[in-house]
């Protein structure tokens, strides 16, 4: 059985302007120890899928379908059950290292709260104080071990530091350590290197790839950067406007793309050898009134009448290579 099975996932947002149909029938699986990247331009829904898995979408979100983790449907669990599973089984690396942690608490305080508050939907002050006093020495000792694992020098000093005293790269390493300190089965990373310079970005990617393989933890990596996806993951899912349009092994997606949108993403990447830089005409769709048929057809150079009328099914064009495009039949 797969570690994670997302099947027929829909996410709508009820707003004063109407209902935005953001995620439209998304399905995929993640195996134990596998690394998967979900890529696409801003607004394609990749972060919404991740938040649906974590159960942190806002109350005005309407979620349908199933998200099974180790056979348990997360969408059918109570809040207490969901928090208990998340606190033990999931690790989360947010996007902005400079704002992800509270500036009022030390790094050590954040580690302690992971063990005290993690896994609880609600916890009273007296119980919080009791657990904090009881667990703090053991947690801080373990935190030192994991800070060394992510190659942070002087972990004792860092645990007593506030966020303003550390660089973006150091904070990102702290966040990675917090994500793995409970030995989770699945790590979800939301573009964690976006705010970093390219040298620090490379160091963080190398570190994450090494840790993921060494710890045999499954990883879902959210990014708009196909190059980063190729570096960090074994398999890539390409999303456009809330739908999966292509899925294959990382090398296969980069070297043999099939969907016009995937090809457009690759052609829009600047190359050191020069050449013409191409983009994809048009912009993100209106989710309140999405196009009929294939959602990419208003921007697609290969679009025909059938593309405007019928949604293309996700079919296997090669072993393990899935594409949702009518053009593959022509």
């Amino acid at each position: 059985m797969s570690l994670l099975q997302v099947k027929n996932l829909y996410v709508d947002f009820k707003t004063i302007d109407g209902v935005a149909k953001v995620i439209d029938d998304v399905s995929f699986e993640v195996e134990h120890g596998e690394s998967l990247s979900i890529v696409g331009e801003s607004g394609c829904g990749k972060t919404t899928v991740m938040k649906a898995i974590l159960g942190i979408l806002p109350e005005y979100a309407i979620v349908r379908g199933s998200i099974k983790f180790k056979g348990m449907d997360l969408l059918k669990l109570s809040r207490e059950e969901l928090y208990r599973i998340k606190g033990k089984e999931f690790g989360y690396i947010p996007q902005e290292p400079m704002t992800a942690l509270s500036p009022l608490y030390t790094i050590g305080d954040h580690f302690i709260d992971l063990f005290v508050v993690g896994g609880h939907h609600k916890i009273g002050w007296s119980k919080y104080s009791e657990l904090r006093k009881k667990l703090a020495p053991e947690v801080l000792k373990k935190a030192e071990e994991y800070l060394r694992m992510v190659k942070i020098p002087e972990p004792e000093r860092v645990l007593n530091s506030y966020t303003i005293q550390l660089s973006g790269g150091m904070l990102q390493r702290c966040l990675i350590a917090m994500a793995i300190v409970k030995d989770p089965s699945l790590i979800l990373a939301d573009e964690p290197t976006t705010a970093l310079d390219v040298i620090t970005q490379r160091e963080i990617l190398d570190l994450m790839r090494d840790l993921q393989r060494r710890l045999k933890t499954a990883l879902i990596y959210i990014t708009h950067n196909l190059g980063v996806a190729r570096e960090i993951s074994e398999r890539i899912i390409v999303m456009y406007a809330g739908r999966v349009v292509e899925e294959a092994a990382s090398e296969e997606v980069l070297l043999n793309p099939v969907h016009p949108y995937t090809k457009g993403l690759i052609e829009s990447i600047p190359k050191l050898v020069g050449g013409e830089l191409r983009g994809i005409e048009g912009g993100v769709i209106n989710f309140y009134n999405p196009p009929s048929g294939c959602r990419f057809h208003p921007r697609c150079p290969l679009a025909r009448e059938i593309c405007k009328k019928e949604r293309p099914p996700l079919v296997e064009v090669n072993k393990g290579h899935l594409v949702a495009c009518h053009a593959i039949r022509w």
Side-chain angles (χ1 to χ4, degrees):
M1 179 187 294
S2 300
L3 177 68
L4 180 73
Q5 296 172 304
V6 177
K7 189 172 183 181
N8 305 125
L9 179 66
Y10 294 81
V11 180
D12 300 337
F13 290 100
K14 293 176 67 176
T15 73
I16 57 174
D17 296 318
V19 177
K21 301 173 182 178
V22 176
I23 302 299
D24 186 43
D25 197 8
V26 166
S27 299
F28 63 90
E29 297 185 2
V30 181
E31 302 298 329
H32 292 264
E34 182 186 18
S35 55
L36 167 74
S37 284
I38 303 178
V39 305
E41 62 191 325
S42 297
C44 74
K46 53 189 185 293
T47 296
T48 301
V49 170
M50 184 204 68
K51 289 184 176 181
I53 295 169
L54 287 169
I56 56 174
L57 287 170
E59 291 186 1
Y60 54 85
I62 305 168
V63 184
R64 292 173 287 136
S66 70
I67 302 174
K68 290 186 177 180
F69 179 78
K70 293 186 175 181
M72 298 173 289
D73 194 335
L74 302 182
L75 298 182
K76 294 181 179 179
L77 299 179
S78 67
R79 280 187 175 271
E80 286 295 342
E81 291 172 322
L82 179 60
Y83 273 67
R84 186 162 57 250
I85 291 171
K86 289 197 304 181
K88 179 183 178 182
E89 299 280 5
F90 290 176
Y92 173 50
I93 307 173
Q95 185 172 6
E96 295 286 350
M98 303 301 289
T99 59
L101 301 174
S102 172
L104 302 178
Y105 300 94
T106 66
I107 300 300
D109 290 331
H110 285 91
F111 270 100
I112 294 170
D113 278 354
L114 272 177
F115 285 83
V116 174
V117 181
H120 297 281
H121 176 219
K122 293 180 180 179
I123 184 171
W125 176 254
S126 59
K127 185 176 182 180
Y128 170 80
S129 301
E130 178 186 342
L131 287 174
R132 184 178 175 84
K133 184 177 181 180
K134 177 183 177 182
L135 297 177
E138 181 182 346
V139 170
L140 292 175
K141 183 178 179 181
K142 190 170 187 178
E144 280 188 39
E145 174 190 343
Y146 277 77
L147 288 179
R148 289 192 182 93
M149 191 180 296
V150 298
K151 301 179 182 179
I152 285 184
E154 301 180 86
E156 289 185 15
R157 178 185 66 81
V158 171
L159 286 172
N160 289 310
S161 299
Y162 292 88
T163 56
I164 196 172
Q165 297 173 291
L166 301 173
S167 68
M170 289 283 277
L171 287 173
Q172 195 59 273
R173 289 173 187 267
C174 289
L175 288 170
I176 293 171
M178 290 176 196
I180 64 175
V181 71
K182 286 185 158 186
D183 303 320
S185 302
L186 175 64
I187 295 174
L188 298 104
D190 187 10
E191 303 196 64
T193 61
T194 298
L196 305 176
D197 64 84
V198 292
I199 295 176
T200 306
Q201 184 181 96
R202 162 57 63 184
E203 293 174 349
I204 295 298
L205 287 174
D206 289 343
L207 173 63
M208 287 185 62
R209 186 173 57 245
D210 177 63
L211 287 172
Q212 188 263 330
R213 291 172 180 171
R214 188 172 6 144
L215 300 174
K216 295 181 173 58
T217 303
L219 171 69
I220 297 178
Y221 194 95
I222 305 296
T223 182
H224 62 272
N225 190 319
L226 280 165
V228 168
R230 182 183 185 180
E231 289 282 332
I232 202 74
S233 61
E234 304 161 69
R235 189 160 54 95
I236 291 175
I237 287 175
V238 182
M239 285 188 65
Y240 177 77
R243 294 177 177 175
V244 174
V245 297
E246 189 157 0
E247 177 183 344
S250 298
E251 290 292 320
E252 181 73 7
V253 169
L254 271 293
L255 299 178
N256 300 300
V258 175
H259 198 281
Y261 176 65
T262 309
K263 291 180 179 180
L265 286 178
I266 294 171
E267 289 175 353
S268 66
I269 300 173
K271 298 174 177 60
L272 293 176
V273 294
E276 182 181 359
L277 182 63
R278 300 177 181 178
I280 303 174
E281 294 185 4
V284 178
I285 69 165
N286 179 355
F287 284 102
Y288 295 103
N289 186 26
S292 58
C294 174
R295 287 188 169 185
F296 186 60
H297 85 255
R299 305 173 67 184
C300 182
L302 302 178
R304 297 188 180 183
E305 277 303 310
I306 189 174
C307 304
K308 301 175 184 179
K309 298 176 181 178
E310 296 181 17
R311 175 176 180 165
L314 197 63
V315 298
E316 192 171 47
V317 294
N318 290 309
K319 186 177 181 181
H321 193 158
L322 306 175
V323 181
C325 182
H326 291 301
I328 60 176
R329 306 174 188 172
W330 306 337

